[in-house]
Amino acid sequence: MRAWGGEQVERAVADAVALLRTAADRDWDGVRAGRLEWSCRRTAEHIASDLINYAGRLAGRAKDAGAPFEVALDEGTGNADVLDVIETTGALLVAAVRTTPRAVRAFHPYPFRSANREGFAAMGVAEVLLHTHDIATGLRLAYEPPAELCEDVLTRLFPHVRPGAAPWPTLLWATGRGELPGREAVTEWRWSNPPVLPTERLILEGVTPAVARDLSSGGDGGLEWVGSSPADGTRVGAGLVAKQYEDGAFHPRWGMYVLVRREDDRAVGAMGFHGAPDEAGRVEVGYDLVVGARGNGYATEALRALSAWALAQDGVRTVAAVIARENTPSQNVVTRAGFTRVTEDGAEYVYEIRP
């Protein structure tokens, strides 16, 4: 999977600044930025503050709260100077993204209280794209960022949003800035970094549609795998995640998780749900490990954690696993994780665990 983050932040900032410089000599304080309550000037300052804040959280490895600072501009700072500050803070975020190890996570409140370097890069790009749109609307400037940047943001931060005919109008709609035919107007929204569930030896990392697409098409998902590549079952599961996203049926918490080893940040397999819980509160789980990682108890450890997490969610009554009759190793995994066999007929056995 191609490296994602620094280059995209650079491109978003460069395009935004280039456009806004064409109107730097105009009154930004007296013009409202699109649908926001802020002026264009206040919105431009907000872009700079967000970029430096994200860089600070990532570089400082913030754990429980955001970095407690923001940009304070000198008195008399002009619009062109504000754009210089946006370029500078953007460069700082790029540097933080490029120098932060993949496994590092830092605090962000929505919705799972952390993000990795890719998440902070995606949030930075989103802030630049959306608020440049707001300013451009107020100043009556034409602005449409590259479609691939918009799609990257959607597949990383808006996995719950069904793709539209074009990514930019979809991103505007998803953030309450536009309309899409056949969809109700959005009045409240949040983006969604992927969930993360730690165990003693593993980190279960939620798979975004961007990662799922890459895995299903033969890529590595941006991960180093034990044995050099994921197992076939992981690629199949990733394809299902990608399909759910395209259909607007993907739920970030109830998707696929990659199992990453803490000791060396290498992926050993994947585990996840076939979908959100049904009306009876039942959810089905599946998993797959690379051959070189089997026999170490990783699947059992991950399954215990994931099933316990699921049963702690409102309305969930049963976690089930359907296993082929001849797959004795997998049956041993679910048994060690506390599941009980509930059916014994046919080519598959059904195991369940309840609170």
Side-chain angles (χ1 to χ4, degrees), residues 105-263:
R105 305 189 71 83
F107 175 81
H108 189 276
Y110 307 120
F112 304 114
R113 301 188 66 79
S114 72
N116 61 9
R117 63 188 184 188
E118 183 175 296
F120 279 104
M123 290 186 289
V125 171
E127 295 283 1
V128 172
L129 300 186
L130 295 170
H131 289 314
T132 299
H133 163 80
D134 298 331
I135 298 170
T137 299
L139 298 176
R140 299 180 183 275
L141 301 173
Y143 174 66
E144 182 169 345
E148 60 268 27
L149 269 186
C150 303
E151 184 172 9
D152 284 343
V153 169
L154 286 167
T155 57
R156 285 166 171 82
L157 295 181
F158 295 87
H160 50 290
V161 172
R162 176 168 54 89
W168 180 229
T170 303
L171 182 58
L172 292 178
W173 170 81
T175 56
R177 289 171 167 83
E179 291 74 39
L180 281 184
R183 302 197 195 185
E184 294 184 4
V186 172
T187 56
E188 295 183 0
W189 61 274
R190 294 285 191 198
W191 54 48
S192 178
N193 281 290
V196 174
L197 182 63
T199 70
E200 181 181 356
R201 296 179 295 166
L202 304 169
I203 300 291
L204 279 63
E205 300 183 3
V207 169
T208 65
V211 171
R213 285 176 172 176
D214 187 68
L215 287 172
S216 65
S217 62
D220 59 15
L223 296 152
E224 182 180 352
W225 291 81
V226 170
S228 76
S229 65
D232 291 343
T234 295
R235 296 202 186 281
V236 172
L240 296 176
V241 170
K243 180 65 164 57
Q244 288 174 342
Y245 171 67
E246 295 296 332
D247 293 342
F250 179 65
H251 301 274
R253 297 187 305 161
W254 302 104
M256 172 185 282
Y257 293 75
V258 173
L259 314 184
V260 181
R261 208 158 54 187
R262 285 176 177 266
E263 65 181 41

Side-chain angles (χ1 to χ4, degrees), residues 24 27 33-34 39 61 196-197 202 223 237 291 321 353:
D27 175 21
S39 70
R61 313 296 197 254
V196 174
L197 182 63
L202 304 169
L223 296 152
V291 174
I353 188 171

Side-chain angles (χ1 to χ4, degrees), residues 21-351:
R21 284 199 188 282
T22 65
D25 59 343
R26 292 162 58 178
D27 175 21
W28 289 14
D29 279 312
V31 179
R32 181 173 167 177
R35 300 184 182 186
L36 303 182
E37 297 297 328
W38 296 338
S39 70
C40 290
R41 171 59 181 252
R42 172 70 184 87
T43 304
E45 294 174 359
H46 175 78
I47 294 174
S49 291
D50 277 340
L51 293 173
I52 189 62
N53 189 276
Y54 293 159
R57 293 188 195 189
L58 197 55
R61 313 296 197 254
K63 297 300 182 186
D64 300 315
F69 65 89
E70 60 182 22
V71 171
L73 301 179
D74 294 338
E75 185 176 352
T77 299
N79 295 334
D81 300 319
V82 175
L83 296 177
D84 290 341
V85 176
I86 290 175
E87 287 183 316
T88 301
T89 55
L92 291 172
L93 178 55
V94 169
V97 168
R98 287 177 172 165
T99 57
T100 298
R102 194 208 70 83
V104 167
R105 305 189 71 83
F107 175 81
H108 189 276
Y110 307 120
F112 304 114
R113 301 188 66 79
S114 72
N116 61 9
R117 63 188 184 188
E118 183 175 296
F120 279 104
M123 290 186 289
V125 171
E127 295 283 1
V128 172
L129 300 186
L130 295 170
H131 289 314
T132 299
H133 163 80
D134 298 331
I135 298 170
T137 299
L139 298 176
R140 299 180 183 275
L141 301 173
Y143 174 66
E144 182 169 345
E148 60 268 27
L149 269 186
C150 303
E151 184 172 9
D152 284 343
V153 169
L154 286 167
T155 57
R156 285 166 171 82
L157 295 181
F158 295 87
H160 50 290
V161 172
R162 176 168 54 89
W168 180 229
T170 303
L171 182 58
L172 292 178
W173 170 81
T175 56
R177 289 171 167 83
E179 291 74 39
L180 281 184
R183 302 197 195 185
E184 294 184 4
V186 172
T187 56
E188 295 183 0
W189 61 274
R190 294 285 191 198
W191 54 48
S192 178
N193 281 290
V196 174
L197 182 63
T199 70
E200 181 181 356
R201 296 179 295 166
L202 304 169
I203 300 291
L204 279 63
E205 300 183 3
V207 169
T208 65
V211 171
R213 285 176 172 176
D214 187 68
L215 287 172
S216 65
S217 62
D220 59 15
L223 296 152
E224 182 180 352
W225 291 81
V226 170
S228 76
S229 65
D232 291 343
T234 295
R235 296 202 186 281
V236 172
L240 296 176
V241 170
K243 180 65 164 57
Q244 288 174 342
Y245 171 67
E246 295 296 332
D247 293 342
F250 179 65
H251 301 274
R253 297 187 305 161
W254 302 104
M256 172 185 282
Y257 293 75
V258 173
L259 314 184
V260 181
R261 208 158 54 187
R262 285 176 177 266
E263 65 181 41
D264 56 6
D265 195 39
R266 300 177 73 192
V268 299
M271 180 175 293
F273 304 102
H274 292 189
D278 63 20
E279 294 180 356
R282 182 181 187 273
V283 64
E284 185 177 336
V285 67
Y287 49 87
D288 195 13
L289 259 63
V290 299
V291 174
R294 295 173 185 173
N296 295 290
Y298 293 137
T300 300
E301 181 177 329
L303 185 57
R304 283 175 180 155
L306 194 60
S307 58
W309 173 86
L311 291 172
Q313 307 309 303
D314 290 342
V316 178
R317 298 180 178 87
T318 308
V319 179
V322 180
I323 302 173
R325 190 184 189 98
E326 68 275 9
N327 191 349
T328 302
S330 189
Q331 293 170 33
N332 292 337
V333 168
V334 295
T335 300
R336 288 193 297 267
F339 285 64
T340 301
R341 187 187 299 177
V342 296
T343 67
E344 299 187 6
D345 298 328
E348 296 177 322
Y349 293 148
V350 177
Y351 289 78

